[in-house]
Amino acid sequence: MSETDGTDQTLQAARRRTRAGMIAAMALVLSFAAGATDAFAFLQLGGVFTANMTGNFVLAGLTSRPDFAEVLLGASVAVLLFSVGTFLAFRFTRLVTAPERTTPEAPQHRLVLVLGGAVVAQSCVLIGWIVSSDHRTMPVVCVLIALSTLAMAGQTAVARRIERSGVTTTFVTGTLTSLMQNLADGVVDHQLIRIGAIVLLVAGALSGSLLTGVDPVFGAALPLVPSIVGLVLLRLAPSATTGQEAR
C-alpha cells in the first residue's frame, strides 16, 4: 500500500467518524424537538400528539374522555398525515448504491431537503398559531396538527434513514427496546446515544410544557430551535456516498 493510499484511508476514516458524530448529535437534538412538539400539541392543539402516534391510537379508544369527538378528529388527522408524510419522505429518500460503496445510502441532498421541509412546516405552525389567535376554530387546529405532524414525519424518516444506533427520535419505545435488548445481550455499542435520546425527549417535553405555560407562542417556537440545529448538522456532515461535504 502506497503512502497516498494510507493517507486517503486515514482521511476517509476521519470523515466517517465526523459524520457519525454529527449524525448522533442530530438525532439527539431532534429527540428534544419531538418532546417539545408533543408537549405543545397536547397542551394547545386539542390534547393529541403530533410525534407519538402510539399515544394517538390510545386516545382514539378513550371514549369517556371529555370532548372525545374533537380528540378523535385531531388524533385521526395526526395518524393520517404521519402515515402519508413518512411514506412520501421514505420514497423521496430511497436508498441508492454509489459506485464506490457496497452499502446503499440515502442521497444526502434529499435528506437535507426533507429535513428542511420539516423546519418549514414547524415554522408554519408558529406563524399559524400567532395569526389565528382571534379565530382558532377546530378546522384551524386541525391544520396546525397536520403541519406539526408532517414536520415530525419528515424528521422521523430522515433519522431512520441515517441513524444506525437504534434511536427513534419521535417515540421512545423503540429506542428503549433497543437499549434493553443490547443490555440483555451484553452489547454496549450506541448505549450513550440511546440514553441521551430518551433523556432529551423528556427534557424537550418538560421545556415545552414550561414555556407553553408562560406563553403558548414560546411553546410553538421552541421546537424550531433544535430542528434548525439538526438541519445544520445534517447539511454540514460529510456525505456518506462521496466522502466529501454535502452539496
Side-chain angles (χ1 to χ4, degrees):
M1 182 177 65
S2 68
E3 183 177 346
T4 302
D5 291 338
T7 301
D8 288 343
Q9 290 181 2
T10 301
L11 289 174
Q12 290 173 6
R15 289 192 183 102
R16 286 193 295 270
R17 288 193 298 270
T18 300
R19 177 177 175 80
M22 296 179 78
I23 295 305
M26 181 203 73
L28 292 175
V29 297
L30 292 184
S31 295
F32 184 95
T37 298
D38 260 348
F40 174 77
F42 189 81
L43 294 173
Q44 298 296 323
L45 299 181
V48 302
F49 301 102
T50 56
N52 176 18
M53 293 303 110
T54 303
N56 287 329
F57 282 112
V58 173
L59 291 174
L62 301 181
T63 57
S64 61
R65 182 178 174 178
D67 302 320
F68 173 72
E70 288 80 3
V71 172
L72 179 61
L73 176 60
S76 299
V77 169
V79 170
L80 175 62
L81 268 295
F82 191 88
S83 300
V84 172
T86 50
F87 173 81
L88 293 176
F90 280 128
R91 288 284 291 180
F92 186 68
T93 59
R94 279 180 293 183
L95 304 180
V96 296
T97 303
E100 67 275 15
R101 295 180 63 89
T102 58
T103 304
E105 299 281 351
Q108 179 90 348
H109 67 284
R110 294 201 170 199
L111 294 169
V112 170
L113 286 175
V114 171
L115 197 54
V119 171
V120 171
Q122 284 281 21
S123 302
C124 290
V125 173
L126 173 60
I127 295 170
W129 181 263
I130 293 172
V131 301
S132 66
S133 58
D134 296 330
H135 45 84
R136 199 168 293 127
T137 60
M138 191 60 196
V140 172
V141 171
C142 284
V143 170
L144 295 178
I145 290 173
L147 288 168
S148 181
T149 303
L150 286 173
M152 292 297 98
Q155 167 182 313
T156 302
V158 169
R160 193 65 175 266
R161 280 297 192 207
I162 59 179
E163 175 52 52
R164 300 291 185 256
S165 65
V167 168
T168 45
T169 62
T170 52
F171 59 99
V172 75
T173 305
T175 302
L176 186 60
T177 300
S178 297
L179 175 63
M180 291 301 105
Q181 178 184 1
N182 280 9
L183 284 176
D185 293 340
V187 179
V188 297
D189 292 345
H190 310 302
Q191 300 298 61
L192 287 180
I193 184 176
R194 290 168 180 161
I195 295 171
I198 295 170
V199 170
L200 283 174
L201 187 139
V202 175
L206 176 61
S207 301
S209 175
L210 293 174
L211 285 178
T212 299
V214 174
D215 189 329
V217 173
F218 295 155
L222 177 61
L224 265 177
V225 178
S227 295
I228 292 172
V229 173
L231 176 61
V232 171
L233 287 169
L234 177 61
R235 176 65 182 84
L236 296 180
S239 171
T241 55
T242 65
Q244 300 175 357
E245 301 231 49
R247 293 181 177 84

